[in-house]
Amino acid sequence: MSAELLDMARRIALQAGALAAERRREGVSVAASKSSDVDIVTAADRETEALIRALIALERPDDAFYGEESDAAAGSSGLVWVVDPIDGTVNYLYGSPAWAISIAVGELGEAGDAGAEPTAGWRALAGVVYAPSTGELFVASAGGGAWLEHVGSPDAAPERLLVNRGAELAHALIGTGFSYTAGRRAAQAEVLRTLLPLVRDIRRVGSAALDLCAVAAGRLDGYYERHLNPWDHAAGALIAAEAGAQVAGQNGAPATADLLIAAEPELFAALHGALLAAE
């Protein structure tokens, strides 16, 4: 089942990525704002999600759907698709390559409710993060490992992804992101001010999905962020976990909007402690 779902997610992500890339070439403008006037959505976000949703419904009409840009829909199959049509919309707007299509599918938990947050207690089965600007396609299935495929390079074999091991906090390259509301940003800046002297350096790319894939690929040692939505990390979290990362929230709880940390287990513990001390 996981392999079939992964194949479907891969095919849909490639089609969605082609559409989003075409719209980027045509020119992008802001269609609306969300949590603040700098938290924006483009027409391409909405069009790309509509395409993804339609393609899922065509193949699996009984599955639930939970996306960033449209209303959630319940299903009867016990599976839910969690979609961010363009993760890194501000990067997309400005023409920066760090944006991606994020698609995950998993089993609904007992607490899951497609009208609220169906990822509560869910179990991810397959996840895909596709960055059309670079041709990098990150994929994972539950128990099947995490892999990097190179779209447009047919001779390039998929690469097995494994997290960095043995990095001490002082030598760790850590990724993070920030909220689009001023008050939350101020609080995040204070945490960062305390954390920065304790690590090698900090990176802020602007896409949670790609940050999690960077942990999986060893391009970051760890990553943390608060105030994420399920669609921001559903696929990337599975990819990081299948590459050997511990992905969790505060005090071992599942990752939620309160906190998500991803790193190999020993670094996870050190980063978790440093973040709690910085609060």
Side-chain angles (χ1 to χ4, degrees):
M1 170 67 79
S2 294
E4 295 172 2
L5 292 170
L6 179 59
D7 180 67
M8 179 177 165
R10 180 192 288 108
R11 287 187 282 104
I12 291 174
L14 290 175
Q15 292 184 64
L19 173 63
E22 181 179 355
R23 295 294 179 263
R24 175 62 267 207
R25 289 190 294 270
E26 293 170 352
V28 178
S29 60
V30 175
S33 59
K34 294 184 284 188
S35 63
S36 72
D37 61 357
V38 294
D39 182 12
I40 53 98
V41 60
T42 70
D45 287 89
R46 294 169 174 171
E47 187 180 4
T48 303
E49 179 159 310
L51 174 64
I52 295 169
R53 189 167 189 159
L55 292 172
I56 291 171
L58 190 64
E59 294 193 46
R60 296 191 57 87
D62 297 326
D63 292 353
F65 183 88
Y66 192 50
E68 181 175 14
E69 308 300 346
S70 59
D71 293 337
S76 58
S77 68
L79 297 182
V80 58
W81 293 80
V82 185
V83 171
D84 192 338
I86 300 176
D87 187 56
T89 298
V90 172
N91 290 338
Y92 181 77
L93 175 69
Y94 278 80
S96 169
W99 58 273
I101 314 298
S102 176
I103 301 175
V105 57
E107 296 175 334
L108 283 162
E110 292 183 4
D113 184 312
E117 189 171 306
T119 55
W122 86 319
R123 185 173 81 91
L125 297 175
V128 171
V129 174
Y130 175 41
S133 297
T134 62
E136 291 188 324
L137 180 69
F138 299 89
V139 305
S141 59
W147 301 83
L148 171 58
E149 302 175 6
H150 300 276
V151 178
S153 301
D155 296 331
E159 301 173 30
R160 182 70 183 262
L161 298 177
L162 295 171
V163 299
N164 291 336
R165 297 284 182 181
E168 298 180 358
L169 186 64
H171 297 152
L173 184 62
I174 303 296
T176 191
F178 305 111
S179 169
Y180 283 108
T181 60
R184 286 176 174 177
R185 282 186 174 193
Q188 289 169 325
E190 285 303 306
V191 170
L192 187 61
R193 183 181 63 82
T194 302
L195 180 65
L196 184 55
L198 305 179
V199 301
R200 184 188 297 275
D201 207 348
I202 295 289
R203 294 290 182 268
R204 195 282 201 257
V205 171
S207 165
L210 289 177
D211 279 333
L212 286 161
C213 291
V215 172
R219 299 171 185 175
L220 291 173
D221 294 304
Y223 165 75
Y224 77 94
E225 191 164 347
R226 292 188 182 273
H227 310 300
L228 291 173
N229 293 297
W231 49 76
D232 295 317
H233 60 81
L238 176 63
I239 293 165
E242 285 293 326
Q246 181 177 350
V247 183
Q250 190 165 315
N251 298 321
T256 67
D258 290 336
L259 180 63
L260 180 148
I261 303 173
E264 64 89 15
E266 290 188 9
L267 178 60
F268 180 100
L271 180 56
H272 177 273
L275 290 171
L276 292 191
E279 293 284 309

